[in-house]
Coordinates of all heavy atoms in Angstrom, one line a residue:
M1 N -20.9 -30.3 7.6 CA -20.8 -29.5 6.3 C -19.3 -29.3 6.1 O -18.6 -28.8 7.0 CB -21.5 -28.2 6.5 CG -21.3 -27.2 5.3 SD -22.2 -25.7 5.5 CE -23.7 -26.1 4.7
P2 N -18.8 -29.6 4.9 CA -17.3 -29.4 4.6 C -17.0 -27.9 4.6 O -17.8 -27.1 4.2 CB -17.1 -30.1 3.3 CG -18.5 -30.3 2.7 CD -19.5 -30.2 3.8
H3 N -15.8 -27.7 5.0 CA -15.2 -26.3 5.0 C -14.8 -25.9 3.6 O -14.1 -26.7 2.9 CB -14.0 -26.2 5.9 CG -13.4 -24.9 5.9 ND1 -14.0 -23.8 6.4 CD2 -12.2 -24.5 5.4 CE1 -13.2 -22.7 6.3 NE2 -12.1 -23.1 5.7
R4 N -15.3 -24.8 3.1 CA -14.9 -24.3 1.8 C -13.8 -23.3 1.9 O -14.0 -22.4 2.8 CB -16.1 -23.7 1.1 CG -17.2 -24.6 0.8 CD -18.3 -23.9 0.0 NE -19.4 -24.8 -0.1 CZ -20.6 -24.5 -0.6 NH1 -20.7 -23.2 -1.1 NH2 -21.6 -25.3 -0.7
P5 N -12.8 -23.4 1.1 CA -11.7 -22.4 1.2 C -12.3 -21.1 0.7 O -13.1 -21.0 -0.1 CB -10.7 -22.9 0.3 CG -11.3 -23.9 -0.6 CD -12.5 -24.4 0.1
M6 N -11.7 -20.0 1.3 CA -12.1 -18.7 0.9 C -11.5 -18.4 -0.5 O -10.4 -18.8 -0.8 CB -11.5 -17.6 1.9 CG -12.0 -17.7 3.3 SD -13.7 -17.2 3.4 CE -13.5 -15.4 3.0
P7 N -12.3 -17.7 -1.3 CA -11.7 -17.4 -2.6 C -10.5 -16.4 -2.5 O -10.5 -15.6 -1.5 CB -12.9 -16.7 -3.3 CG -13.9 -16.3 -2.3 CD -13.6 -17.2 -1.1
A8 N -9.6 -16.5 -3.4 CA -8.5 -15.6 -3.4 C -8.9 -14.2 -3.6 O -9.8 -13.9 -4.5 CB -7.5 -16.0 -4.4
P9 N -8.4 -13.2 -2.8 CA -8.8 -11.8 -3.0 C -8.3 -11.3 -4.4 O -7.3 -11.8 -4.9 CB -8.1 -11.1 -1.9 CG -6.9 -12.0 -1.5 CD -7.4 -13.4 -1.8
N10 N -9.0 -10.4 -4.9 CA -8.5 -9.7 -6.1 C -7.4 -8.7 -5.6 O -7.7 -7.7 -5.1 CB -9.6 -8.9 -6.8 CG -9.2 -8.3 -8.0 OD1 -8.0 -7.8 -8.2 ND2 -10.1 -8.1 -9.0
T11 N -6.2 -9.1 -5.8 CA -5.1 -8.3 -5.3 C -5.0 -6.9 -5.9 O -4.6 -6.0 -5.3 CB -3.7 -9.0 -5.4 OG1 -3.5 -9.3 -6.8 CG2 -3.6 -10.2 -4.6
G12 N -5.5 -6.7 -7.1 CA -5.5 -5.4 -7.7 C -6.5 -4.5 -7.0 O -6.1 -3.3 -6.7
M13 N -7.6 -5.0 -6.7 CA -8.6 -4.2 -5.9 C -8.1 -4.0 -4.5 O -8.3 -2.9 -3.9 CB -10.0 -4.9 -5.9 CG -10.6 -4.8 -7.3 SD -12.2 -5.7 -7.3 CE -13.2 -4.5 -6.3
E14 N -7.5 -5.0 -3.9 CA -6.9 -4.9 -2.6 C -5.8 -3.8 -2.5 O -5.8 -3.0 -1.6 CB -6.4 -6.2 -2.1 CG -6.0 -6.2 -0.6 CD -5.6 -7.6 -0.1 OE1 -5.6 -8.5 -0.9 OE2 -5.2 -7.7 1.0
A15 N -5.0 -3.8 -3.5 CA -3.9 -2.8 -3.6 C -4.5 -1.4 -3.7 O -4.1 -0.5 -3.0 CB -3.0 -3.1 -4.8
A16 N -5.5 -1.2 -4.5 CA -6.2 0.1 -4.7 C -6.8 0.5 -3.3 O -6.7 1.7 -3.0 CB -7.2 0.0 -5.8
A17 N -7.4 -0.4 -2.6 CA -8.0 -0.1 -1.3 C -6.9 0.4 -0.3 O -7.0 1.3 0.4 CB -8.7 -1.3 -0.8
W18 N -5.7 -0.4 -0.3 CA -4.6 0.0 0.6 C -4.1 1.4 0.2 O -3.7 2.2 1.1 CB -3.6 -1.1 0.6 CG -3.9 -2.1 1.6 CD1 -4.2 -3.4 1.4 CD2 -3.8 -1.9 3.1 NE1 -4.4 -4.0 2.6 CE2 -4.2 -3.2 3.6 CE3 -3.6 -0.9 3.9 CZ2 -4.3 -3.3 5.0 CZ3 -3.7 -1.0 5.3 CH2 -4.0 -2.3 5.8
I19 N -3.9 1.6 -1.1 CA -3.4 3.0 -1.5 C -4.3 4.0 -1.0 O -3.9 5.1 -0.5 CB -3.2 3.0 -3.0 CG1 -2.1 2.2 -3.5 CG2 -3.1 4.5 -3.5 CD1 -0.7 2.7 -3.1
D20 N -5.6 3.8 -1.1 CA -6.6 4.8 -0.6 C -6.4 5.0 0.9 O -6.4 6.2 1.4 CB -8.0 4.3 -0.9 CG -9.1 5.3 -0.5 OD1 -9.0 6.5 -0.8 OD2 -10.0 4.9 0.3
V21 N -6.2 4.0 1.7 CA -6.0 4.1 3.1 C -4.7 4.9 3.4 O -4.7 5.8 4.2 CB -6.0 2.7 3.8 CG1 -5.5 2.8 5.2 CG2 -7.4 2.1 3.8
L22 N -3.6 4.5 2.7 CA -2.3 5.2 2.9 C -2.4 6.7 2.6 O -1.8 7.5 3.3 CB -1.2 4.5 2.1 CG -0.9 3.0 2.4 CD1 0.1 2.4 1.4 CD2 -0.4 2.9 3.8
L23 N -3.1 7.0 1.5 CA -3.3 8.4 1.2 C -4.2 9.1 2.2 O -3.9 10.2 2.6 CB -4.0 8.5 -0.2 CG -3.1 8.2 -1.4 CD1 -4.0 8.0 -2.7 CD2 -2.1 9.3 -1.6
R24 N -5.3 8.5 2.6 CA -6.2 9.1 3.6 C -5.5 9.4 4.9 O -5.8 10.5 5.5 CB -7.4 8.2 3.8 CG -8.5 8.8 4.6 CD -9.7 7.9 4.7 NE -10.2 7.6 3.4 CZ -11.0 6.6 3.1 NH1 -11.4 5.8 4.0 NH2 -11.4 6.4 1.9
Y25 N -4.6 8.6 5.3 CA -3.9 8.8 6.6 C -2.6 9.5 6.5 O -1.9 9.6 7.5 CB -3.8 7.5 7.4 CG -5.1 7.0 7.9 CD1 -5.9 6.1 7.2 CD2 -5.5 7.4 9.2 CE1 -7.1 5.7 7.7 CE2 -6.7 7.0 9.7 CZ -7.5 6.2 9.0 OH -8.7 5.8 9.5
G26 N -2.3 10.0 5.3 CA -1.1 10.8 5.1 C 0.2 10.0 5.1 O 1.3 10.6 5.3
L27 N 0.1 8.7 5.0 CA 1.3 7.9 5.0 C 2.0 7.9 3.6 O 3.2 7.6 3.5 CB 1.0 6.5 5.4 CG 0.4 6.4 6.8 CD1 0.0 5.0 7.1 CD2 1.5 6.8 7.8
V28 N 1.2 8.2 2.6 CA 1.7 8.4 1.2 C 1.2 9.7 0.7 O 0.0 10.0 0.9 CB 1.3 7.2 0.3 CG1 1.6 7.5 -1.1 CG2 1.9 5.9 0.8
H29 N 2.1 10.5 0.1 CA 1.7 11.8 -0.4 C 0.8 11.7 -1.7 O -0.2 12.4 -1.8 CB 2.9 12.7 -0.7 CG 2.6 13.9 -1.4 ND1 1.9 15.0 -0.9 CD2 2.9 14.3 -2.7 CE1 1.8 15.9 -1.8 NE2 2.3 15.5 -2.9
A30 N 1.3 10.9 -2.6 CA 0.6 10.7 -3.9 C 0.8 9.3 -4.4 O 1.9 8.7 -4.2 CB 1.1 11.7 -4.9
A31 N -0.2 8.8 -5.2 CA 0.0 7.5 -5.8 C -1.0 7.5 -7.0 O -2.1 8.0 -7.0 CB -0.4 6.4 -4.8
V32 N -0.5 6.9 -8.1 CA -1.3 6.7 -9.3 C -1.0 5.3 -9.9 O 0.1 4.9 -9.9 CB -1.0 7.9 -10.3 CG1 0.4 7.8 -10.8 CG2 -2.0 7.8 -11.4
E33 N -2.1 4.7 -10.3 CA -2.0 3.4 -10.9 C -1.9 3.6 -12.5 O -2.6 4.3 -13.1 CB -3.2 2.5 -10.6 CG -3.0 1.1 -11.2 CD -4.2 0.2 -10.8 OE1 -5.3 0.8 -10.4 OE2 -4.1 -1.0 -11.0
G34 N -0.9 2.9 -13.0 CA -0.8 2.9 -14.5 C -1.7 1.8 -15.1 O -2.2 1.0 -14.4
P35 N -1.8 1.9 -16.4 CA -2.7 1.0 -17.1 C -2.3 -0.5 -17.1 O -3.0 -1.4 -17.3 CB -2.7 1.5 -18.6 CG -1.4 2.3 -18.7 CD -1.1 2.8 -17.3
D36 N -1.0 -0.7 -16.7 CA -0.5 -2.1 -16.7 C -0.4 -2.6 -15.3 O 0.2 -3.7 -15.0 CB 1.0 -2.1 -17.3 CG 1.9 -1.1 -16.6 OD1 1.4 -0.4 -15.7 OD2 3.1 -1.1 -17.0
G37 N -1.1 -2.0 -14.3 CA -1.1 -2.5 -12.9 C 0.0 -2.0 -12.1 O 0.1 -2.4 -10.9
Q38 N 1.0 -1.2 -12.6 CA 2.1 -0.7 -11.8 C 1.6 0.6 -11.1 O 0.6 1.2 -11.6 CB 3.3 -0.4 -12.7 CG 3.9 -1.6 -13.3 CD 5.2 -1.2 -14.1 OE1 5.4 0.0 -14.4 NE2 6.0 -2.2 -14.4
W39 N 2.2 0.9 -10.0 CA 1.9 2.1 -9.3 C 3.1 3.0 -9.1 O 4.2 2.5 -9.0 CB 1.4 1.7 -7.9 CG 0.0 1.1 -7.8 CD1 -0.3 -0.2 -8.0 CD2 -1.2 1.7 -7.6 NE1 -1.6 -0.4 -7.9 CE2 -2.2 0.8 -7.6 CE3 -1.5 3.1 -7.3 CZ2 -3.5 1.1 -7.4 CZ3 -2.9 3.4 -7.1 CH2 -3.9 2.4 -7.1
L40 N 2.9 4.3 -9.2 CA 3.9 5.3 -8.9 C 3.4 5.9 -7.6 O 2.3 6.3 -7.4 CB 4.0 6.3 -10.0 CG 4.4 5.8 -11.3 CD1 4.4 6.9 -12.4 CD2 5.8 5.2 -11.3
A41 N 4.3 6.1 -6.6 CA 3.9 6.6 -5.3 C 5.1 7.5 -4.7 O 6.2 7.3 -5.1 CB 3.6 5.5 -4.4
Q42 N 4.7 8.4 -3.9 CA 5.7 9.3 -3.2 C 5.2 9.4 -1.7 O 4.0 9.5 -1.5 CB 5.7 10.7 -3.7 CG 6.4 10.9 -5.0 CD 6.4 12.4 -5.4 OE1 5.3 12.9 -5.7 NE2 7.5 13.0 -5.4
D43 N 6.2 9.4 -0.8 CA 5.8 9.6 0.6 C 5.7 11.1 1.0 O 5.0 11.5 1.9 CB 6.7 8.8 1.5 CG 8.1 9.2 1.6 OD1 8.6 9.9 0.6 OD2 8.8 8.9 2.5
R44 N 6.5 11.9 0.2 CA 6.4 13.4 0.5 C 6.5 14.1 -0.9 O 7.1 13.5 -1.9 CB 7.6 13.8 1.3 CG 7.7 13.1 2.7 CD 8.9 13.6 3.4 NE 9.2 12.7 4.6 CZ 8.5 12.7 5.7 NH1 7.5 13.4 5.9 NH2 8.9 11.9 6.7
P45 N 6.1 15.3 -1.0 CA 6.1 16.0 -2.3 C 7.5 16.0 -3.0 O 7.6 15.9 -4.2 CB 5.6 17.4 -2.0 CG 4.8 17.2 -0.7 CD 5.5 16.1 0.0
E46 N 8.5 16.2 -2.2 CA 9.9 16.4 -2.7 C 10.7 15.0 -2.8 O 11.8 15.0 -3.2 CB 10.6 17.4 -1.8 CG 11.0 16.9 -0.4 CD 9.8 17.0 0.6 OE1 8.8 17.6 0.3 OE2 10.0 16.5 1.7
S47 N 10.0 13.9 -2.4 CA 10.7 12.7 -2.4 C 10.8 12.0 -3.8 O 10.1 12.4 -4.7 CB 10.1 11.7 -1.4 OG 8.8 11.3 -1.9
T48 N 11.7 11.0 -3.8 CA 11.8 10.2 -5.0 C 10.5 9.4 -5.3 O 9.9 9.0 -4.3 CB 13.0 9.2 -4.9 OG1 14.1 9.9 -4.6 CG2 13.2 8.3 -6.1
V49 N 10.2 9.2 -6.5 CA 9.0 8.5 -6.9 C 9.3 7.0 -6.8 O 10.3 6.6 -7.4 CB 8.5 8.9 -8.3 CG1 7.3 8.0 -8.7 CG2 8.0 10.3 -8.3
W50 N 8.5 6.2 -6.1 CA 8.7 4.8 -6.1 C 7.9 4.1 -7.2 O 6.8 4.5 -7.5 CB 8.1 4.2 -4.8 CG 8.6 4.7 -3.5 CD1 9.9 5.1 -3.2 CD2 7.9 5.0 -2.3 NE1 10.0 5.5 -2.0 CE2 8.8 5.5 -1.4 CE3 6.6 4.8 -2.0 CZ2 8.4 5.8 -0.1 CZ3 6.2 5.2 -0.7 CH2 7.1 5.7 0.2
L51 N 8.5 3.1 -7.8 CA 7.8 2.3 -8.8 C 7.4 1.0 -8.1 O 8.3 0.2 -7.7 CB 8.7 2.0 -10.0 CG 8.1 1.0 -11.0 CD1 6.8 1.5 -11.6 CD2 9.1 0.7 -12.1
L52 N 6.1 0.8 -8.0 CA 5.6 -0.5 -7.4 C 5.1 -1.3 -8.6 O 4.1 -0.9 -9.2 CB 4.5 -0.2 -6.4 CG 5.0 0.8 -5.3 CD1 3.8 1.2 -4.5 CD2 6.0 0.2 -4.4
R53 N 5.8 -2.4 -8.9 CA 5.6 -3.1 -10.1 C 4.3 -3.9 -10.2 O 3.8 -4.2 -11.3 CB 6.8 -4.0 -10.5 CG 8.0 -3.2 -10.8 CD 9.2 -4.1 -10.9 NE 9.5 -4.6 -9.5 CZ 10.6 -5.1 -9.1 NH1 11.6 -5.1 -10.0 NH2 10.7 -5.5 -7.9
N54 N 3.7 -4.2 -9.1 CA 2.5 -5.0 -9.1 C 1.8 -4.8 -7.7 O 2.3 -4.2 -6.8 CB 2.8 -6.4 -9.4 CG 3.8 -7.0 -8.4 OD1 3.7 -6.8 -7.2 ND2 4.8 -7.7 -9.0
A55 N 0.6 -5.4 -7.7 CA -0.2 -5.3 -6.4 C 0.5 -5.8 -5.2 O 0.4 -5.3 -4.1 CB -1.6 -6.0 -6.6
S56 N 1.3 -6.9 -5.4 CA 2.0 -7.5 -4.3 C 3.0 -6.4 -3.7 O 3.1 -6.4 -2.5 CB 2.8 -8.7 -4.8 OG 3.6 -9.2 -3.8
E57 N 3.6 -5.6 -4.5 CA 4.5 -4.6 -4.0 C 3.8 -3.5 -3.2 O 4.3 -3.0 -2.2 CB 5.4 -4.0 -5.1 CG 6.5 -5.1 -5.6 CD 7.5 -4.5 -6.5 OE1 7.5 -3.2 -6.7 OE2 8.3 -5.2 -7.0
V58 N 2.6 -3.2 -3.6 CA 1.7 -2.2 -2.9 C 1.4 -2.8 -1.5 O 1.5 -2.1 -0.5 CB 0.5 -1.9 -3.7 CG1 -0.5 -1.1 -2.9 CG2 0.8 -1.2 -5.0
L59 N 1.0 -4.1 -1.5 CA 0.7 -4.7 -0.2 C 1.9 -4.8 0.7 O 1.8 -4.6 1.9 CB 0.1 -6.1 -0.4 CG -1.2 -6.1 -1.3 CD1 -1.7 -7.5 -1.4 CD2 -2.2 -5.2 -0.7
T60 N 3.1 -5.0 0.1 CA 4.3 -5.0 0.9 C 4.6 -3.6 1.5 O 5.0 -3.5 2.6 CB 5.5 -5.5 0.0 OG1 5.2 -6.8 -0.4 CG2 6.8 -5.5 0.8
L61 N 4.4 -2.6 0.7 CA 4.6 -1.2 1.1 C 3.6 -0.9 2.3 O 4.1 -0.4 3.3 CB 4.3 -0.2 0.0 CG 4.3 1.3 0.4 CD1 5.7 1.7 1.0 CD2 3.9 2.1 -0.7
A62 N 2.4 -1.3 2.2 CA 1.4 -1.1 3.2 C 1.8 -1.8 4.5 O 1.8 -1.2 5.6 CB 0.0 -1.5 2.8
A63 N 2.3 -3.0 4.4 CA 2.7 -3.8 5.6 C 4.0 -3.1 6.2 O 4.1 -3.1 7.4 CB 3.0 -5.2 5.2
T64 N 4.9 -2.7 5.4 CA 6.1 -2.0 5.9 C 5.8 -0.7 6.6 O 6.3 -0.5 7.7 CB 7.1 -1.7 4.7 OG1 7.4 -2.9 4.0 CG2 8.3 -1.0 5.2
L65 N 4.9 0.1 6.1 CA 4.5 1.3 6.8 C 3.7 1.0 8.1 O 4.0 1.7 9.1 CB 3.6 2.2 5.8 CG 4.4 2.7 4.6 CD1 3.4 3.4 3.7 CD2 5.5 3.7 5.1
Q66 N 2.9 0.0 8.1 CA 2.2 -0.4 9.3 C 3.3 -0.8 10.4 O 3.2 -0.4 11.5 CB 1.3 -1.6 9.1 CG 0.0 -1.2 8.4 CD -0.9 -2.4 8.2 OE1 -0.5 -3.5 8.2 NE2 -2.2 -2.1 8.1
H67 N 4.2 -1.6 9.9 CA 5.3 -2.1 10.9 C 6.0 -0.9 11.5 O 6.3 -0.8 12.7 CB 6.2 -3.1 10.2 CG 7.3 -3.5 11.1 ND1 7.1 -4.5 12.1 CD2 8.6 -3.2 11.1 CE1 8.2 -4.7 12.7 NE2 9.2 -3.9 12.1
Q68 N 6.4 0.1 10.6 CA 7.1 1.2 11.1 C 6.3 2.0 12.1 O 6.8 2.5 13.1 CB 7.5 2.1 9.9 CG 8.6 1.6 9.0 CD 8.9 2.4 7.8 OE1 8.2 3.4 7.5 NE2 9.9 2.1 7.0
L69 N 5.0 2.2 11.8 CA 4.2 2.9 12.8 C 4.1 2.2 14.1 O 4.1 2.8 15.1 CB 2.8 3.1 12.2 CG 2.6 4.2 11.1 CD1 1.2 4.1 10.5 CD2 2.8 5.5 11.7
R70 N 4.0 0.9 14.1 CA 3.9 0.1 15.3 C 5.2 0.1 16.1 O 5.1 0.2 17.3 CB 3.5 -1.3 15.0 CG 2.0 -1.4 14.6 CD 1.6 -2.8 14.3 NE 0.3 -2.8 13.8 CZ -0.2 -3.6 12.8 NH1 0.7 -4.5 12.2 NH2 -1.4 -3.6 12.4
T71 N 6.3 0.1 15.4 CA 7.6 0.0 16.1 C 8.1 1.4 16.6 O 8.8 1.5 17.5 CB 8.6 -0.7 15.3 OG1 8.8 0.0 14.1 CG2 8.3 -2.1 15.0
T72 N 7.7 2.5 15.9 CA 8.1 3.8 16.3 C 7.1 4.6 17.0 O 7.3 5.7 17.5 CB 8.6 4.6 15.1 OG1 7.5 4.8 14.2 CG2 9.7 3.9 14.3
G73 N 5.9 4.0 17.1 CA 4.8 4.8 17.7 C 4.3 6.0 16.9 O 3.7 6.9 17.4
G74 N 4.6 6.0 15.6 CA 4.2 7.1 14.7 C 5.1 8.3 14.9 O 4.7 9.4 14.4
E75 N 6.2 8.2 15.5 CA 7.0 9.4 15.8 C 7.6 10.1 14.5 O 7.9 11.2 14.6 CB 8.2 9.0 16.7 CG 7.7 8.5 18.1 CD 8.8 7.8 18.8 OE1 9.9 7.7 18.3 OE2 8.5 7.3 19.9
N76 N 7.8 9.3 13.5 CA 8.4 9.9 12.3 C 7.4 10.6 11.4 O 7.8 11.3 10.4 CB 9.0 8.7 11.4 CG 10.2 8.1 12.1 OD1 10.7 8.7 13.0 ND2 10.5 6.9 11.7
R77 N 6.1 10.6 11.7 CA 5.1 11.3 10.9 C 4.7 12.6 11.5 O 4.4 12.8 12.6 CB 4.0 10.4 10.6 CG 4.3 9.3 9.6 CD 4.0 9.9 8.3 NE 4.7 9.1 7.3 CZ 4.9 9.6 6.1 NH1 4.5 10.8 5.8 NH2 5.5 8.9 5.2

């Protein structure tokens, strides 16, 4: 049987799922998706608001936060 490639994930839905995880675990304080697929996010209530221009930037943020947790052992949170 020939191997079928996996379908490409819907990055918009994947980004929303990662935002949910980041919020649930307190790695992001707040996040909201705009109608154009951009996201606004904060890591703390008093911090600067980040503009994440697309789902790819949300996934990059999630990967960056995971890397920070693994390399610091979560000491910064």
Side-chain angles (χ1 to χ4, degrees):
M1 176 179 267
H3 176 70
R4 293 184 189 175
M6 294 290 292
N10 181 331
T11 56
M13 291 178 69
E14 187 177 0
W18 272 111
I19 287 290
D20 184 49
V21 169
L22 296 174
L23 287 165
R24 189 174 301 161
Y25 286 92
L27 299 172
V28 172
H29 168 71
V32 63
E33 183 180 15
D36 55 359
Q38 293 185 346
W39 288 84
L40 299 175
Q42 284 181 293
D43 64 341
R44 302 180 196 286
E46 67 281 352
S47 69
T48 302
V49 175
W50 303 321
L51 172 61
L52 305 168
R53 294 173 291 203
N54 53 45
S56 177
E57 289 189 4
V58 172
L59 300 179
T60 299
L61 172 65
T64 300
L65 292 173
Q66 285 181 337
H67 179 74
Q68 287 176 353
L69 282 172
R70 288 180 183 141
T71 58
T72 64
E75 296 163 3
N76 294 340
R77 284 273 160 200

